[in-house]
Amino acid sequence: EPEVTQTPSHQVTQMGQEVILRCVPISNHLYFYWYRQILGQKVEFLVSFYNNEISEKSEIFDDQFSVERPDGSNFTLKIRSTKLEDSAMYFCASSENGGEVAGYTFGSGTRLTVV
Amino acid sequence: SQKLEQNSEALNIQEGKTATLTCNYTNYSPAYLQWYRQDPGRGPVFLLLIRENEKEKRKERLKVTFDTTLKQSLFHITASQPADSATYLCALNSGGYQKVTFGIGTKLQVIP
């Protein structure tokens, strides 16, 4: 079964450093997303991406965050200057048609720890 | 903004029984509502989607209902098994078309 692949599975970084989280969505999917989940809390929407541009973003997704689809397969989330409160599990997801038929397919996540 | 309420406490049931999980929402009825399963340290896994004009949806041992009058969805697992133990999340599109809001989830424990 096709899956969404995320790398790395764990990332430890110093506060103030830049990190890039990588994702390979399912190949025939057109919509891409980043979510995060702070330990013990709910899954929170960050951003959606369609047709090579951001279609929606949450209030969490401020100027420190950016997304990119540098080629036909990768989808990345960059955090420019990490803060302690950015420590969370980051999930990439993709969908064929915006989630309204078969939901979203999530990756296994990247656990980001900012020290 | 749309809010989702799920019983965040754990639900313990005996193997073989039917588990029923509740998701309540405020404000407007979404076009559709989704249910996911999440295991510890893993990403959510899509289970079922139900549209606002559907009362009930089934998939194997799973059943979802959607009551727009009560602003509530119920998720049932019949003949529950220990392998069904996980956290179950409801989610709906909130605000914009692409923004999906998740509930905190209900942790289900099926006791052998």
Side-chain angles (χ1 to χ4, degrees):
Chain A
E1 187 161 333
E3 56 182 34
V4 173
T5 306
Q6 288 187 247
T7 54
S9 55
H10 292 89
Q11 173 96 46
V12 180
T13 189
Q14 290 218 316
M15 193 169 56
Q17 294 295 303
E18 174 184 287
V19 293
I20 297 176
L21 309 183
R22 301 180 193 279
C23 170
V24 179
I26 293 174
S27 59
N28 65 332
H29 284 186
L30 302 176
Y31 299 81
F32 314 115
Y33 315 85
W34 284 100
Y35 283 79
R36 79 171 187 191
Q37 187 174 30
I38 295 169
L39 189 63
Q41 297 186 25
K42 62 181 181 178
V43 177
E44 298 177 290
F45 171 80
L46 292 177
V47 67
S48 59
F49 192 87
Y50 171 72
N51 203 24
N52 282 320
E53 61 182 21
I54 290 174
S55 46
E56 269 191 87
K57 59 184 180 180
S58 72
E59 53 278 3
I60 303 169
F61 194 89
D62 61 22
D63 291 344
Q64 293 301 310
F65 291 86
S66 62
V67 290
E68 201 176 34
R69 187 154 163 82
D71 52 43
S73 59
N74 290 284
F75 181 50
T76 62
L77 175 70
K78 183 193 290 187
I79 309 174
R80 269 181 259 287
S81 177
T82 49
K83 307 184 189 74
L84 295 176
E85 53 265 36
D86 293 328
S87 295
M89 194 77 157
Y90 287 81
F91 294 110
C92 174
S94 67
S95 72
E96 190 174 359
N97 41 31
E100 65 177 75
V101 174
Y104 300 156
T105 303
F106 282 80
S108 292
T110 293
R111 183 174 299 283
L112 177 66
T113 303
V114 182
V115 297
Chain B
S1 62
Q2 191 72 280
K3 283 189 170 58
L4 281 172
E5 293 169 0
Q6 289 186 262
N7 184 351
S8 61
E9 294 178 16
L11 176 65
N12 297 325
I13 64 162
Q14 208 69 37
E15 183 177 3
K17 300 290 186 188
T18 295
T20 299
L21 285 63
T22 305
C23 177
N24 295 299
Y25 59 91
T26 60
N27 301 339
Y28 59 88
S29 284
Y32 55 88
L33 191 145
Q34 307 174 42
W35 283 89
Y36 289 80
R37 168 184 174 139
Q38 187 175 29
D39 291 285
R42 309 288 294 177
V45 175
F46 172 74
L47 297 174
L48 279 169
L49 180 150
I50 186 164
R51 299 182 185 285
E52 61 177 336
N53 61 349
E54 296 175 317
K55 296 290 184 201
E56 184 180 294
K57 202 81 168 278
R58 289 176 187 261
K59 178 183 174 184
E60 297 171 356
R61 294 185 296 111
L62 309 180
K63 183 177 88 170
V64 172
T65 62
F66 195 3
D67 188 325
T68 55
T69 304
L70 293 178
K71 295 189 177 180
Q72 181 180 81
S73 175
L74 297 179
F75 177 79
H76 307 270
I77 306 175
T78 58
S80 58
Q81 304 165 0
D84 295 326
S85 299
T87 297
Y88 291 86
L89 315 175
C90 67
L92 50 74
N93 57 326
S94 172
Y97 178 67
Q98 291 296 316
K99 181 180 177 182
V100 171
T101 298
F102 281 83
I104 188 76
T106 298
K107 187 173 181 180
L108 174 67
Q109 186 78 28
V110 180
I111 303 160

